[in-house]
């Protein structure tokens, strides 16, 4: 969407791509202490071991030293079962997207996105001045449009950015579908963003050695409960990672985030228990919506897209009045709200509150 943005008299004129961008302003204020079902975060917090580990490591001297990634890279590589030179620590998935685009996309280059999807794909592509083409998720079911995407890939395409499972639909493409995309998009940077991998189990990491055009991202903001830390990883073949590293700020990942990530992957039991609880809660949520006659999109992530109809904004606002936060997505999928899945207790609280106002 093109927007008119005033320019201060006497100030330098921004790039045309920036002038034409719509601002991205997520409603992040005043959320603490409420039932946070709006941003797909871990709804109970990170592993207690992370907090204890940070306390043990923290000192005035260590905060005065620039970050050192000598231990975090091999620790994460071992956990994700890749070589250390196939992994780039990033400041959240957002920086992974930005670094990939900065490395492979020039002004005017074609970038293929799916719609609706994670807003930061379009954000960074627009900042780069890319020519963006969008392929819509299939009407009604919001299934992944595999054939449509394959048809859209052309010699002009420089990057394809895919969330799997997708946010906000919760739908996913199979691993065989990912391979079809990689084969069709030879010499094209294909990013598979696996922010919600733990809730669906589909990963392209095992394909890195087979496809030199594959890039995979992971985040610590969701299942690990570290959204405030801004920690992620970008994976690819070692030669690609070396190029990505050239386009990245040398100290973009702060020391606390690097420490926390190392401890997070050690506490596998915490993650496994949270995923088990979230999947049970997701089933509980879907059953509850069915009992109320509310349609929804079957999800492979830790959220469910429900069809609230013409009352979507009203329902969101009335839930907020009762300290329950959900995310409006009706601006891109008519009548839809996205509900994060946390624990079964939290899901029952949401369903009880929704029942009161439905």
């Amino acid at each position: 969407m093109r927007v008119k943005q005033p320019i201060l008299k006497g100030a330098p004129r921004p790039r045309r791509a920036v002038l034409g961008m719509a601002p991205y302003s997520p409603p992040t204020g005043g959320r603490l202490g409420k039932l946070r079902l709006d941003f797909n975060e871990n709804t109970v917090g990170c592993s207690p071991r992370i907090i204890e580990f940070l306390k043990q490591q923290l000192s005035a001297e260590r905060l005065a030293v620039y970050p050192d990634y000598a231990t975090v890279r091999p620790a994460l590589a071992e956990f994700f079962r890749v070589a250390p030179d196939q992994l780039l620590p990033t400041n959240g998935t957002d920086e992974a997207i930005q670094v990939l685009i900065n490395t492979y996309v020039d002004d005017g280059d074609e970038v293929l996105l799916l719609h609706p999807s994670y807003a930061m794909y379009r954000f960074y592509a627009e900042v780069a001045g890319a020519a963006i083409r969008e392929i819509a998720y299939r009407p009604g079911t919001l299934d992944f449009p595999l054939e449509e995407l394959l048809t859209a890939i052309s010699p002009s395409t420089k990057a394809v950015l895919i969330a799997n499972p997708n946010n906000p639909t919760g739908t996913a493409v199979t691993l065989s579908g990912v391979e079809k995309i990689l084969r069709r998009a030879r010499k094209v940077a294909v990013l598979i963003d696996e922010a919600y991998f733990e809730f669906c189990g589909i990963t392209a990491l095992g394909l890195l050695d087979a496809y030199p055009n594959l890039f995979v991202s992971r985040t610590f903001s969701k299942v690990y409960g570290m959204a405030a830390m801004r920690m992620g990883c970008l994976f690819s073949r070692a030669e690609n990672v070396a190029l990505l590293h050239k386009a990245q700020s040398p100290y973009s990942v702060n020391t606390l985030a690097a420490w926390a990530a190392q401890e997070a992957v050690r506490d596998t039991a915490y993650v496994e228990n949270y995923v088990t609880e979230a999947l049970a809660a997701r089933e509980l949520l879907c059953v509850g919506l069915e009992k109320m006659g509310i349609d929804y999109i079957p999800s492979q992530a830790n959220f469910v897209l429900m069809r609230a109809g013409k009352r979507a904004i009203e329902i969101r606002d009335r839930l907020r009045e009762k300290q329950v936060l959900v995310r409006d997505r009706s601006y891109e999928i008519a009548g839809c709200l996205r509900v994060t899945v946390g624990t079964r207790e939290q899901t029952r609280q949401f369903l009880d509150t929704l029942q009161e106002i439905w």
Side-chain angles (χ1 to χ4, degrees):
M1 180 177 66
R2 310 297 291 184
V3 295
K4 290 185 177 181
Q5 186 77 28
I7 302 174
L8 182 66
K9 185 177 180 180
R13 184 175 181 81
R15 294 174 56 239
R16 183 171 58 182
V18 174
L19 281 174
M21 291 175 61
Y24 180 65
S25 303
T28 54
R31 298 175 63 241
L32 283 177
K34 299 176 182 177
L35 182 54
R36 299 177 288 104
L37 307 182
D38 52 344
F39 276 83
N40 304 336
E41 302 155 327
N42 181 314
T43 59
V44 298
C46 68
S47 163
R49 283 177 49 174
I50 294 174
I51 304 301
E52 187 58 35
F53 185 74
L54 290 177
K55 290 178 180 178
Q56 293 172 3
Q57 299 298 314
L58 199 58
S59 71
E61 181 182 9
R62 298 193 77 170
L63 284 183
V65 178
Y66 280 106
D68 178 356
Y69 309 124
T71 58
V72 65
R73 190 188 294 264
L76 296 183
E78 180 180 5
F79 175 77
F80 289 112
R81 299 181 181 178
V82 299
D85 58 4
Q86 291 181 312
L87 178 154
L88 186 73
T90 61
N91 192 297
T93 297
D94 289 1
E95 193 197 21
I97 300 164
Q98 181 185 37
V99 167
L100 182 139
I101 288 178
N102 287 350
T103 304
Y104 295 102
V105 178
D106 275 322
D107 188 32
D109 283 348
E110 180 180 273
V111 174
L112 294 186
L113 308 178
L114 290 105
H115 180 78
S117 195
Y118 183 44
M120 290 296 99
Y121 305 143
R122 169 172 277 277
F123 177 88
Y124 287 115
E126 285 187 332
V127 170
I132 298 170
R133 288 185 62 194
E134 289 187 326
I135 296 89
Y137 275 80
R138 290 176 179 163
T141 63
L142 295 177
D143 286 340
F144 188 89
L146 179 58
E147 295 305 321
E148 297 91 327
L149 177 59
L150 292 174
T151 300
I153 296 169
S154 74
S156 300
T157 306
K158 291 298 181 69
V160 181
L161 311 180
I162 299 168
N164 198 41
N166 183 51
N167 171 24
T169 65
T171 48
V173 60
T174 64
L175 197 57
S176 63
V178 170
E179 290 199 78
K180 288 180 181 178
I181 295 166
L182 290 166
R183 289 194 293 266
R184 179 71 177 86
R186 295 187 184 277
K187 297 187 178 180
V188 175
V190 177
L191 173 66
I192 307 298
D193 178 357
E194 298 181 350
Y196 303 99
F197 155 73
E198 291 84 4
F199 305 100
C200 81
I202 300 173
T203 179
L205 277 179
L207 303 177
L208 287 181
D209 291 335
Y211 296 96
N213 58 333
L214 172 62
F215 300 79
V216 178
S217 61
R218 292 282 185 90
T219 182
F220 286 81
S221 295
K222 306 303 180 184
V223 72
Y224 292 100
M226 290 168 45
M229 287 289 189
R230 314 307 303 128
M231 179 69 195
C233 295
L234 183 56
F235 305 88
S236 191
R237 295 269 283 269
E239 296 83 354
N240 295 337
V241 170
L243 293 169
L244 294 165
H245 185 64
K246 291 173 68 175
Q248 183 189 36
S249 173
Y251 302 116
S252 62
V253 176
N254 72 74
T255 294
L256 297 181
W259 288 343
Q262 291 177 73
E263 189 63 23
V265 297
R266 294 187 188 111
D267 196 355
T268 56
Y270 176 83
V271 171
E272 291 169 1
N273 291 338
Y274 185 77
V275 169
T276 299
E277 179 66 19
L279 294 181
R282 188 176 73 190
E283 178 65 20
L284 180 64
L285 174 60
C286 293
V287 171
L289 292 176
E290 290 170 6
K291 288 181 178 179
M292 281 186 269
I294 302 173
D295 193 20
Y296 62 90
I297 301 298
S299 174
Q300 296 189 56
N302 69 328
F303 55 84
V304 173
L305 193 68
M306 58 174 276
R307 300 188 187 276
K310 295 180 179 179
R311 296 181 61 212
I313 301 298
E314 175 200 344
I315 294 295
R316 179 203 62 183
D317 291 345
R318 293 187 64 184
L319 286 170
R320 182 188 295 158
E321 291 171 0
K322 296 177 178 293
Q323 308 298 298
V324 177
L325 306 178
V326 299
R327 190 75 183 271
D328 169 48
R329 303 303 301 221
S330 62
Y331 59 90
E332 55 186 358
I333 314 172
C336 283
L337 299 174
R338 191 189 66 199
V339 184
T340 299
V341 172
T343 67
R344 281 170 286 187
E345 180 181 351
Q346 290 169 335
T347 300
R348 292 187 188 97
Q349 181 183 342
F350 165 75
L351 289 170
D352 289 345
T353 306
L354 181 62
Q355 181 73 63
E356 293 174 10
I357 62 179
W358 185 254

